[in-house]
Each structure stands twice: as C-alpha cells, then as structure tokens.
Amino acid sequence: MNEVYFYCPTRIYFERNAIEKYLPVIKNYGQRVLIVSGKNFIYKSGLFNKIRNVLENEKIKYSIFSEVEPEPDTDNVEKGVEFCKKENCDVIVAIGGGSALDVGKCIAVRSKNKGNISDYFGEKEYKNEPLPVIAIPTTCGTGSEVTRYAVIVNKSEKTKKTVSNEKIMPKVAILDPNVLEFLPPKLIAATGMDAFSHAVESYLSINSDFFSKLFAIESLKLIKENIKKAVFGDKEAKEKLFIGSIFAGYAINRTGTIIIHGIGYSLTIKYHTHHGTANALFLPYVLEFMKENGYEKEIEEMENIIGPTSELKNFITEIGLPVKLREIGVKKEDIEEIVDLSIKGCERAMKRMKFNLKEEDFLKIITSSY
Ligand SMILES: [Fe+2]
C-alpha cells in the first residue's frame, strides 16, 4: 500500500440553520470581520440579512467586500486586499461558490504578506501567517472549504493558476443545506459535476492513496446517486450532494486534479463557460482517451462505482448540461486555440499523470468533444 497523508484542520459544521448557530465562532478568530462574496447571490437569497443579524446580535464589527467576479483574476484579489487593509480586518468570512471562497483565501494571504497574489502561485512559503478564514459555501461543488487551494485567473498568461498552501485551509467551514434551496437547478448540476470531476480526477491522480480513494469513492457514490434528484429539487438529495462535494474536497486536497480540470480551464478562459459545466463536458472524452491510453485498469475499477464510461454522456445530458463543444457555441476554427489553452491549463496536472500528453493527444480529445 502507498504511504498515506491526510491533514484537515478545518472544523466542519453541517446542519440546517448552521449559519445562525455557528457564525458567532468568528469571535474566536478576530475582532473585525471582512465578508467576502459575489455581487448578487447573498443579497437575493436573503443570506446577507441573516448574516448581518447574527453579527449585529453578537456585536461583531464587519466590513463587506462583495465584488468577487464569477471568474476572479489577480486584480480582483488585489482590490479586496486593499479594502481589507483599509478596514483593518483581521478575520475573513468567505461566502459563496468557489470564486468567493478562493478570493477570500487569497486576501487572507496577501493582507499579511507583501507583493501581488501572482507571487504566491504554486507552493510558496509565506513570511507571515495568513488571516484566518471561515468558509460558508453556497454551492455543492467547490470543496474549497476544506482544501489548500485557491484558483485565480492570471490574465497576463491567459490561464488559471493555483495558490496552494496548507496555511490557507479555512479554520471553520459552515455548511448549511438551506443555502442550496436558492441555487438554480442548472447550478446544482454544474457545481455537482465539478465535485464529481474532483472525485474522478483524484481517484486517477498518481498521488492518490488509501485515504484519498476512500473519500473519492464515497463522493462518487453520493453524487452519482443523488445529483439527478437534487437537480429536480429533492432536499435530501441536495444534502447528500453537499456532503459528496466535501468528500471530493478532501480527496483533491491530497491529490490535486488532473487533465479534466486543466482542459476545462480553456473554455472558462475563452468563453466564460461555468467551471463545472466545462469539466462535465470534457469528462466523458477524457476518460475514453485515458481508458485507451494506460489507465484501463483504474477506469475499469471506477466503472464498478459509477457505471460504464460510455453512459456518462447520457447521464450528463439528463441533468441538463451540454456534452458537445458545438452545443455551447464553439466554432471549429477555435479548436486550435482551445488546444493551446488546454496545454497551458494542464501544466500542473501533468505532474499527476502517468505520462505527458502530446499536442496531438489534446487535439484528439478536443476534436472528439466537438
Ligand atoms: Fe473544480
């Protein structure tokens, strides 16, 4: 058996109304809170009022940075850092999907350390301990509430880059399944499939170990069994999907993701395709390619859990997501650029693969997805 490494310092609270019940724990971590979120969801869903009531009842001071973009870049992070410093905040509450959680983690790093967030891409050491982060995910996909990663668009290089360090793992994650009631079915499907990709990719990563596989397998089972019901509004299925996304987070925290995410980034960079939708679209084609190229045994093992790879496209269509590039408006003449962006996006992923893909391999996968 491979050696095992598992570390998760994040205190998890998972229950209905967990936000009201556990948000007061902020007081254990700082004096002045920076709320980090996107522009719309927390207001439209009534979540902001709920949080404000808790903070005011507990007499906790706070400032709000609700300017996180859907695909945040380095400038977006730096704007938050400036605001955090100006407001003298010493604890971050990040609320939202992966974007808000990841920006929260990056603000935590940069508010205590010099430079620009781009100086911290990869596995860098920090001079000073980042600010503590409390994560409140509002989607069932990211897993960022339990991982050491924050993914940010690097505009100059036209790709997504990862800040990776155990010091940015949230101190507390509050998972209140009530928040999923406001998530549109399309986003349940897309974020759920993001988590599904995390579990698949973790399972296939060369870094996987006994523990990561345990979480990946349980996550695959939970998501496969529940995503369709969750998309159609089943409350209990949404809860299980939420748990499935944390399990996938634990799994990738050990292993990282592989080429599904790396290739998926290309669509997000060029067409602003939702991260989970992009991963779901490429998933069947990447698995078909891997099954024919050195991963036959691993994929057959995984098929015992999720069913035949050949049925994945139907499964994804049934939850309302696209399975072909042309469905999302990609033109044939763009394929070459998508290949280039995918190669860039897979730089880190390649270290977790059994072999390096060549340009012609990317072309094969992307052409078959067209
Ligand atoms: Fe992801």
Side-chain angles (χ1 to χ4, degrees):
M1 198 164 80
N2 288 354
E3 74 262 27
V4 166
Y5 177 68
F6 182 74
Y7 175 66
C8 186
T10 308
R11 202 182 292 272
I12 307 279
Y13 295 109
F14 181 97
E15 65 182 74
R16 292 205 178 260
N17 306 314
I19 295 175
E20 292 92 324
K21 193 165 169 188
Y22 297 109
L23 196 55
V25 300
I26 298 172
K27 285 191 277 193
N28 300 338
Y29 298 97
Q31 307 290 321
R32 184 165 187 111
V33 177
L34 180 70
I35 298 175
V36 176
S37 79
K39 293 181 177 82
N40 298 316
F41 185 81
I42 67 161
Y43 299 104
K44 278 190 195 155
S45 60
L47 200 52
F48 177 69
N49 287 342
K50 203 184 262 188
I51 288 165
R52 188 181 52 197
N53 290 344
V54 175
L55 296 176
E56 286 175 0
N57 285 342
E58 298 291 327
K59 298 189 172 43
I60 299 170
K61 294 191 196 98
Y62 64 94
S63 304
I64 309 154
F65 178 71
S66 56
E67 288 178 54
V68 176
E69 308 283 347
E71 290 298 335
D73 61 19
T74 46
D75 294 346
N76 199 194
V77 170
E78 291 301 324
K79 201 170 168 190
V81 172
E82 211 175 288
F83 184 72
C84 181
K85 286 183 178 170
K86 188 177 111 235
E87 298 290 303
N88 277 320
C89 297
D90 57 1
V91 54
I92 309 259
V93 173
I95 309 165
S99 301
L101 268 44
D102 289 359
V103 168
K105 288 166 158 180
C106 289
I107 294 175
V109 173
R110 268 282 294 116
S111 297
K112 301 295 282 180
N113 294 279
K114 283 186 191 152
N116 182 284
I117 194 62
S118 56
D119 303 328
Y120 299 91
F121 287 147
E123 317 254 347
K124 297 281 159 58
E125 275 313 308
Y126 307 147
K127 192 158 179 253
N128 303 307
E129 194 72 23
L131 295 177
V133 175
I134 292 168
I136 307 181
T138 59
T139 68
C140 42
T142 166
S144 179
E145 67 276 8
V146 294
T147 71
R148 63 191 156 93
Y149 309 118
V151 182
I152 298 294
V153 172
N154 191 9
K155 268 203 287 195
S156 60
E157 286 184 48
K158 273 181 129 186
T159 189
K160 283 188 167 193
K161 290 272 185 178
T162 306
V163 173
S164 172
N165 193 306
E166 287 182 346
K167 289 183 177 161
I168 63 170
M169 293 170 79
K171 301 284 182 221
V172 180
I174 302 176
L175 293 104
D176 181 342
N178 288 336
V179 299
L180 298 183
E181 297 312 314
F182 303 102
L183 204 60
K186 199 121 209 162
L187 278 179
I188 302 247
T191 58
M193 284 309 291
D194 181 28
F196 192 77
S197 300
H198 293 157
V200 165
E201 293 174 69
S202 174
Y203 191 92
L204 298 173
S205 164
I206 55 169
N207 296 332
S208 68
D209 65 23
F210 188 76
F211 272 36
S212 71
K213 277 199 172 158
L214 200 72
F215 283 115
I217 290 169
E218 282 312 308
S219 172
L220 289 171
K221 283 186 197 162
L222 281 167
I223 299 171
K224 185 84 202 303
E225 272 173 40
N226 291 288
I227 191 164
K228 209 151 79 181
K229 286 184 252 171
V231 168
F232 287 103
D234 184 310
K235 276 189 169 188
E236 204 183 314
K238 285 184 198 174
E239 286 184 2
K240 289 184 178 155
L241 206 57
F242 217 2
I243 293 284
S245 74
I246 312 178
F247 282 5
Y250 285 139
I252 53 166
N253 198 43
R254 165 66 168 133
T255 61
T257 51
I258 55 166
I259 56 171
I260 300 167
H261 266 63
I263 296 175
Y265 292 159
S266 67
L267 297 188
T268 307
I269 294 283
K270 185 158 169 62
Y271 304 96
H272 305 288
T273 310
H274 184 277
H275 170 67
T277 304
N279 292 333
L281 194 150
F282 286 122
L283 177 74
Y285 306 98
V286 172
L287 292 186
E288 275 163 24
F289 171 84
M290 289 176 73
K291 199 173 173 183
E292 289 164 13
N293 291 278
Y295 283 85
E296 195 183 357
K297 184 179 148 275
E298 291 84 346
I299 292 185
E300 274 174 8
E301 275 168 19
M302 215 168 53
E303 284 178 325
N304 290 327
I305 309 157
I306 61 169
T309 313
S310 56
E311 284 172 20
L312 270 177
K313 278 177 231 167
N314 278 342
F315 171 67
I316 295 165
T317 307
E318 278 169 11
I319 56 169
L321 297 179
V323 288
K324 281 197 185 308
L325 287 174
R326 62 175 89 191
E327 281 179 66
I328 58 162
V330 173
K331 295 187 203 79
K332 208 163 190 179
E333 54 267 33
D334 294 341
I335 287 182
E336 210 176 306
E337 192 183 348
I338 298 177
V339 168
D340 286 345
L341 291 171
S342 299
I343 294 172
K344 254 187 225 168
C346 284
E347 229 170 73
R348 259 166 79 86
M350 219 53 94
K351 296 178 195 136
R352 302 161 187 152
M353 296 285 294
K354 282 193 204 169
F355 60 90
N356 274 336
L357 272 77
K358 298 190 204 78
E359 191 176 336
E360 65 215 54
D361 298 326
F362 284 101
L363 184 63
K364 194 175 171 193
I365 294 168
I366 285 150
T367 312
S368 62
S369 328
Y370 182 74

